[in-house]
Amino acid sequence: SRKKLVVYASLILVIGPICGYTGAKRLNKNLILVYLVFSLIKCVYEVVLAFVLPSLWMLLLGLVEIWIAKIIYMLWKAVSMIPAERIEDLLNPAFEQEAHAHIVYW
């Protein structure tokens, strides 16, 4: 019974990263949002755990998780600004852009 609980909990914990990977690959803002929510819940859990069990490692892990959540948020925000037609073009391997990309140093 306890083994089943661990297996189910592990499966639930895998849902977030799978949604994040799929969302990033397909430029799907809803799947990226699922991963962002998952990551924020994990952030809260790890930071609270760091204070409940005074552990520097847990606090550092929580801070890294916050940094990762920030990156996920920036991805979600960027994908949300791309029009649906442009996403279709970006995902189409046969599509050729009119202008060539070039490196710009700011």
Side-chain angles (χ1 to χ4, degrees), residues 24-63:
K25 193 163 181 81
R26 296 182 184 170
L27 299 176
N28 185 322
K29 65 181 178 182
N30 295 328
L31 290 176
I32 296 171
L33 184 61
V34 169
Y35 185 43
L36 178 61
V37 170
F38 173 83
S39 181
L40 290 174
I41 291 170
K42 191 173 175 193
C43 285
V44 170
Y45 170 75
E46 289 179 358
V47 170
V48 167
L49 196 62
F51 287 108
V52 171
L53 307 169
S55 170
L56 180 62
W57 290 111
M58 288 303 296
L59 183 61
L60 289 174
L61 192 61
L63 292 174

Side-chain angles (χ1 to χ4, degrees), residues 40-101:
L40 290 174
I41 291 170
K42 191 173 175 193
C43 285
V44 170
Y45 170 75
E46 289 179 358
V47 170
V48 167
L49 196 62
F51 287 108
V52 171
L53 307 169
S55 170
L56 180 62
W57 290 111
M58 288 303 296
L59 183 61
L60 289 174
L61 192 61
L63 292 174
V64 168
E65 194 65 42
I66 290 170
W67 177 65
I68 291 170
K70 177 187 171 248
I71 292 171
I72 298 167
Y73 170 73
M74 290 175 8
L75 173 65
W76 174 77
K77 188 175 170 185
V79 170
S80 296
M81 290 191 282
I82 302 172
E85 303 83 33
R86 180 69 177 140
I87 288 176
E88 289 177 20
D89 291 341
L90 291 170
L91 294 177
N92 182 1
F95 177 75
E96 294 207 18
Q97 293 185 356
E98 296 154 4
H100 295 301

